[in-house]
Amino acid sequence: MQDTLTKEDFLYTVVAERLENQIENNILKTGDKLLSLRALSKEQGISISTAYKAYIELENKGFIEARPKSGYFVRFSPSQYPKTPQALKPAFNPVKASVDEMLRLVYKSINQEGIVKLSRATPSGSLIPEAKLNKAMMEAIRRSPNSCTGYEEIEGNLTLRKQIAKHAFNWNGNITEEDVVTTQGCMEALVFCLQAVTEPGDTVAIESPTYFGIFNVMKSLGLKVLEIPAEPETGINIEYLEKALKTVPVKACLFVPNFCNPAGGLMPDQRKKQLVELLAKHQIPLIEDDIYGEMYFGKTRPKTCKSFDKEGLVMLCSSVSKSLAPGYRVGWCIPGRFIDKVISLKLNYTVSAATPTQAAIGLFFETGRYDLHMRNLRKALHTQCLRYTQAISDYFPKDTNVSRPQGGYVLWIEMNPKIDAFVLFEKAIKEKVSIAPGQIFSTDGRFTNYIRISFGTPYDETIDKSLKKLGTLVADMY
């Protein structure tokens, strides 16, 4: 696969985007017939093969369909999208993070064979460039003077850290390799950053709903959590946080501003700046989980809160676990003014992350393979997001609300209040379909009629049948 776009690639993408915009703006409505390939070719001054590619692009996204001997028609328009879920506001009371039996059962289901894993927010194996990763691993071992058998520097592989610093340019970061510390996955980065700025018994503000793994971390560190509501489209409710800070002694914040899991919200850049300024005023560190930041569907990568950090209070954490190689466990953090403390913690707990995987990922970045892979992955995820959303609109009851993420891996679905999400989970498992019930995304089981579904697997007949079965199960619970 070439690493450059041809003129034909550019033309069909432009035509497809223009037609998609007309469908999104309801200029072209569901059922409208599109121009024939020959007519589109003539009107746009493009070849018939380019016109065909444009229509295939829209067909893959589910916007149009080809009807035998009739041509192409608009299949789905945004006017058919369900409403977005509502944000639920928790109390100001900090609570001890807990992990209950429900979470254990959900984890267990993820690893069962024969289960359609709609609960797993990771890329499908078919989206991972295994052959190229293997090549990078072998090349990294060949280049190493000791075949990657020795310890890395405490801060991490130098090539990898240089590449992370280089890629920070995409989110308006201005850092060097000296600002980066590598870790074994993003979760270890979060743990080190939390330990650097808190003590057992301290209160940490997190978004609600949030990834259930965060509760495990908070519990293991003896921390209390204060849940801040997150809007499904714009993320953290900063006004709620500002009010809470007046009465609750918050020691640190841990937020996911870009495509938070499970709600999927993307905090606008101006809101990120506002959040950073608010926390700087109170001298409260912000641990920013940016693990989904590269999975954007728009034309440009969203900025991070770290982009607006002037005092070193923002500690950015990320990894390639969601974008490239979950099993490699290659992560990193940019801890700002707390870097010496983080390095000390890493020395105490792990000394050094795995040498071969760090070297391989560093080389994968350096050769440009990562950028090419991410272009393909983002395109695939965007298409899958649209197809899953359309299926839910078709198969679930009409009062179902669905998030509209601009990136990431997951859909946050609000159902009728009559529906108990955990009961639905139990029914779905019997049908060999795994979902994540909403109760596991808060400390008090608040999201009883919400579920999270991942669109990390390419849409096919199995996924279609699974979503149809889920919709039927939901309808039967009314």
Side-chain angles (χ1 to χ4, degrees):
M1 187 178 293
Q2 294 182 348
D3 200 1
T4 56
L5 293 174
T6 65
K7 181 179 179 182
E8 185 177 357
D9 288 330
F10 174 74
L11 287 174
Y12 92 76
T13 300
V14 169
V15 173
E17 285 181 352
R18 288 174 59 193
L19 288 169
E20 185 175 329
N21 286 336
Q22 287 197 315
I23 295 171
E24 288 182 338
N25 292 321
N26 224 28
I27 297 171
L28 290 171
K29 300 178 175 61
T30 302
D32 283 357
K33 185 176 182 179
L34 300 176
L35 294 173
S36 68
L37 290 174
R38 190 175 297 279
L40 181 64
S41 167
K42 185 176 181 180
E43 182 187 82
Q44 298 295 320
I46 56 178
S47 68
I48 290 180
S49 65
T50 300
Y52 177 71
K53 279 188 173 183
Y55 278 172
I56 290 297
E57 173 84 354
L58 293 171
E59 192 172 21
N60 287 339
K61 289 184 175 182
F63 283 118
I64 69 173
E65 63 182 356
R67 298 179 187 174
K69 300 182 179 180
S70 298
Y72 289 90
F73 294 80
V74 177
R75 176 179 179 271
F76 191 90
S77 69
S79 62
Q80 296 172 267
Y81 276 126
K83 294 180 180 179
T84 55
Q86 298 181 24
L88 302 182
K89 293 185 178 181
F92 280 168
N93 303 322
V95 297
K96 290 184 178 180
S98 62
V99 180
D100 56 17
E101 183 71 6
M102 191 182 302
L103 184 54
R104 188 187 69 80
L105 291 172
V106 173
Y107 264 121
K108 182 180 178 181
S109 74
I110 289 177
N111 297 315
Q112 291 179 12
E113 291 296 323
I115 299 288
V116 179
K117 299 176 178 65
L118 298 180
S119 55
R120 180 178 286 176
T122 55
S124 164
S126 64
L127 299 177
I128 295 175
E130 294 177 358
K132 291 181 179 180
L133 277 170
N134 292 341
K135 183 177 180 181
M137 177 69 79
M138 291 185 289
E139 179 64 22
I141 291 173
R142 279 198 299 267
R143 288 189 183 186
S144 170
N146 59 16
S147 297
C148 292
T149 59
Y151 286 120
E152 285 286 1
E153 299 176 31
I154 295 173
E155 294 88 344
N157 179 274
L158 181 59
T159 298
L160 176 60
R161 289 188 289 123
K162 283 183 176 180
Q163 290 302 313
I164 291 167
K166 179 181 176 182
H167 274 73
F169 177 82
N170 296 338
W171 48 260
N172 208 34
N174 183 22
I175 63 170
T176 72
E177 64 271 18
E178 300 299 323
D179 300 309
V180 181
V181 180
T182 67
T183 58
Q184 299 189 81
C186 187
M187 192 58 75
E188 185 177 80
L190 295 175
V191 170
F192 286 162
C193 289
L194 281 167
Q195 288 181 307
V197 297
T198 65
E199 298 288 343
D202 286 343
T203 296
V204 177
I206 63 174
E207 61 204 44
S208 179
T210 198
Y211 169 55
F212 44 78
I214 296 299
F215 301 134
N216 286 335
V217 170
M218 297 298 179
K219 183 179 180 182
S220 68
L221 298 178
L223 298 169
K224 297 178 182 179
V225 297
L226 174 67
E227 296 189 52
I228 307 298
E231 302 293 337
E233 294 187 19
T234 57
I236 288 298
N237 186 323
I238 298 176
E239 290 71 25
Y240 187 99
L241 172 63
E242 186 172 16
K243 186 176 180 181
L245 292 179
K246 295 177 181 178
T247 57
V248 180
V250 173
K251 195 65 179 291
C253 295
L254 196 166
F255 297 142
V256 189
N258 292 329
F259 320 122
C260 57
N261 176 9
L266 172 62
M267 182 179 286
D269 288 345
Q270 186 57 38
R271 298 283 282 177
K272 289 172 186 167
K273 183 173 183 289
Q274 183 183 347
L275 173 62
V276 171
E277 290 174 349
L278 170 65
L279 296 181
K281 176 183 176 183
H282 293 273
Q283 288 296 290
I284 297 174
L286 168 60
I287 301 165
E288 179 178 18
D289 183 347
D290 191 51
I291 196 168
Y292 297 105
E294 292 289 336
M295 274 68 77
Y296 56 93
F297 300 156
K299 294 184 181 300
T300 57
R301 198 234 199 261
K303 290 182 180 179
T304 64
C305 288
K306 187 70 177 175
S307 307
F308 302 99
D309 182 26
K310 297 179 180 178
E311 300 190 24
L313 281 167
V314 179
M315 311 169 76
L316 184 140
C317 302
S318 192
S319 80
V320 296
S321 295
K322 302 297 185 182
S323 62
L324 180 60
Y328 275 38
R329 309 310 302 140
V330 172
W332 58 86
C333 58
I334 304 169
R337 67 166 74 168
F338 308 101
I339 188 167
D340 290 340
K341 179 66 173 176
V342 169
I343 291 173
S344 177
L345 287 163
K346 183 180 179 183
L347 179 61
N348 290 340
Y349 285 98
T350 61
V351 181
S352 172
T355 300
T357 51
Q358 284 196 57
I361 295 300
L363 185 60
F364 204 85
F365 272 81
E366 189 178 53
T367 57
R369 290 173 183 158
Y370 182 75
D371 290 333
L372 172 61
H373 162 67
M374 288 309 302
R375 286 202 295 271
N376 294 330
L377 179 63
R378 286 191 287 266
K379 184 176 180 180
L381 289 176
H382 189 194
T383 296
Q384 289 161 208
C385 177
L386 293 170
R387 294 304 297 270
Y388 278 62
T389 302
Q390 291 169 23
I392 292 166
S393 177
D394 290 340
Y395 298 145
F396 279 56
K398 296 305 178 185
D399 59 352
T400 304
N401 298 334
V402 185
S403 61
R404 299 180 195 173
Q406 299 176 55
Y409 277 95
V410 296
L411 293 172
W412 186 232
I413 302 170
E414 180 186 11
M415 303 169 293
N416 188 286
K418 297 177 183 178
I419 306 301
D420 184 314
F422 188 68
V423 173
L424 176 62
F425 162 79
E426 293 179 311
K427 291 178 179 289
I429 282 295
K430 292 178 181 178
E431 300 290 341
K432 303 296 184 182
V433 179
S434 174
I435 58 173
Q439 290 98 322
I440 66 174
F441 296 100
S442 69
T443 56
D444 57 6
R446 190 178 328 113
F447 299 95
T448 55
N449 59 314
Y450 291 70
I451 60 173
R452 188 197 73 182
I453 285 178
S454 167
F455 49 81
T457 299
Y459 199 90
D460 58 14
E461 186 177 353
T462 299
I463 297 297
D464 187 79
K465 287 181 178 178
S466 299
L467 291 173
K468 191 171 186 178
K469 172 56 68 176
L470 274 177
T472 300
L473 290 174
V474 174
D476 290 344
M477 292 173 69
Y478 275 61

